[in-house]
Amino acid sequence: MLELPSMRLREFSRGDSAQQPVVVCAPYALHGALIADFAPGHSLVEALQKDGVNRIYVPDWRSATPEMRYLSIDNYLADLNVAIDEIGAPVDLVGLCQGGWLSLVYAARFPGKVRRLVLAGAPVDISTPSELSKMVAALPHQAFEQMVQQGDGIVSGEHMLRFWNIPFSRRDVEAVLQRNLGDGSDEAQMLLDRFERWDRATLDLPGTYYLEVTDQVFRQNLIAGGRFVALGRRIDLAEVGVPVFLLAGADDIVVPRDQAFATAGLLGTRPAWLERACEPCGHLSLFMGRNALGHSWRRIARWLQADVGDVGGARIRA
């Protein structure tokens, strides 16, 4: 739909063009936005459409080129803002993993442009630890700077995959795809091949962005601490008062349930407008697993379309 320096904005719309728009913000980390539309039966976009959400947009983040090496978090927020203006605010914003903290910061920076917010497996308050935050904390800042210098300002996705040492075993993939991949069927082999291609197709990141994320988000915990500055303005999460849905995985080691749910205590959202759900799965299964898509994401789709009450005398409706 739109070409911007940091993304290609992809549109998945059908039916009523007047329906409330939903923007699914995939993480800009190791892998691309295919995490939101992986395969039939394993697609968040497909699951939302099945339950009546028919105006869906996905920022497809670009792998960084040498010309992009100085792009910062502000650049990505600015491009997301252009995309949302093109779609037409207010939007419902769905943040997946690290797309979650970006979505929350955006909602705080542009409060009139987000109607509802879904944060799925999203790291925000790093004072509640995870394996990811522990790994970042265990390394000196100079180690991350050295990684950027080695890549001439670009952080290689392939290098990051090896650095974080998180290759997926066949058992992990079976858990995500929720089937026995040893059954010899053509469908099982197709899914396995697709997953392995997705896992290998890593994104390179701008060095400036990478250093800001590791230091400001994961080391200093500036977002949760109320000290993060986005596009010239300090972000106070207590000023975020929109309805929020928090989704966590009970077996998620990347963003544990307690970390995902800790965000609730930072927000200004009234308790009646705050929803939580926890799926019995790991991190990737939250976004790609058939069970989570058929359970909690069905509930989220209904929540996005439901009446959740009055705001300033006006009804919030889909």
Side-chain angles (χ1 to χ4, degrees):
M1 176 184 173
L2 190 66
E3 297 267 354
L4 293 170
S6 70
M7 72 164 84
R8 297 177 180 89
L9 181 63
R10 302 199 181 274
E11 180 178 8
F12 301 80
S13 297
R14 62 186 188 184
D16 185 3
S17 61
Q19 194 184 58
Q20 174 67 29
V22 174
V23 177
V24 178
C25 189
Y28 185 45
L30 281 173
H31 297 99
L34 190 65
I35 193 172
D37 188 35
F38 176 68
H42 300 276
S43 165
L44 172 54
V45 169
E46 176 191 55
L48 293 174
Q49 287 179 334
K50 282 184 177 179
D51 282 291
V53 179
N54 290 321
R55 283 191 69 198
I56 303 173
Y57 303 84
V58 179
D60 187 2
W61 304 112
R62 298 179 187 272
S63 188
T65 62
E67 294 75 22
M68 297 168 66
R69 63 187 180 275
Y70 297 120
L71 293 187
S72 65
I73 293 174
D74 272 359
N75 292 112
Y76 288 85
L77 286 169
D79 276 4
L80 182 59
N81 188 46
V82 170
I84 287 174
D85 282 348
E86 183 80 11
I87 293 165
V91 302
D92 292 341
L93 197 49
V94 177
L96 311 181
C97 186
Q98 290 201 54
W101 64 255
L102 189 72
S103 297
L104 179 56
V105 167
Y106 180 87
R109 181 62 181 81
F110 299 101
K113 295 187 177 184
V114 177
R115 190 192 70 135
R116 298 185 193 184
L117 187 62
V118 178
L119 303 177
V124 176
D125 189 356
I126 312 303
S127 66
T128 303
S130 68
E131 292 303 314
L132 178 60
S133 63
K134 288 177 184 176
M135 283 192 290
V136 173
L139 291 170
H141 185 67
Q142 291 80 1
F144 298 102
E145 292 179 332
Q146 185 177 19
M147 191 180 299
V148 173
Q149 291 167 2
Q150 288 174 344
D152 292 326
I154 296 294
V155 179
S156 161
E158 184 178 350
H159 183 89
M160 277 191 293
L161 197 61
R162 294 196 305 269
F163 181 75
W164 294 116
N165 194 28
I166 52 171
F168 295 102
S169 68
R170 192 180 186 92
R171 184 176 178 182
D172 293 331
V173 181
E174 288 184 341
V176 172
L177 302 180
Q178 289 161 346
R179 65 174 301 152
N180 177 12
L181 297 177
D183 65 9
S185 70
D186 291 342
E187 182 187 5
Q189 190 59 48
M190 181 275 292
L191 285 172
L192 179 59
D193 291 346
R194 183 181 291 239
F195 186 92
E196 290 177 344
R197 288 197 305 272
W198 172 80
D199 187 35
R200 290 194 303 268
T202 54
L203 294 180
D204 298 337
L205 304 183
T208 298
Y209 171 88
Y210 181 73
L211 291 176
E212 287 180 346
V213 172
T214 54
D215 186 53
Q216 297 181 27
V217 178
F218 284 99
R219 294 174 68 86
Q220 298 189 57
N221 203 24
L222 295 189
I223 297 174
R227 295 178 291 130
F228 187 83
V229 176
L231 293 168
R233 182 177 299 170
R234 186 179 64 82
I235 296 302
D236 183 359
L237 297 184
E239 295 178 357
V240 177
V242 299
V244 174
F245 197 115
L246 300 174
L247 177 62
D251 303 318
D252 191 343
I253 64 171
V254 179
V255 184
R257 177 183 59 187
D258 289 348
Q259 187 181 91
F261 285 168
T263 304
L266 305 173
L267 306 175
T269 299
R270 64 181 70 176
W273 290 357
L274 187 63
E275 298 282 343
R276 297 178 181 87
C278 184
E279 284 289 327
C281 68
H283 191 64
L284 284 181
S285 295
L286 274 181
F287 323 121
M288 302 163 116
R290 192 186 300 268
N291 291 347
L293 293 173
H295 185 238
S296 285
W297 285 104
R298 291 200 69 184
R299 179 179 162 192
I300 289 170
R302 292 192 293 267
W303 178 81
L304 288 171
Q305 299 170 85
D307 183 355
V308 295
D310 292 324
V311 178
R315 303 294 287 180
I316 293 186
R317 299 190 66 88

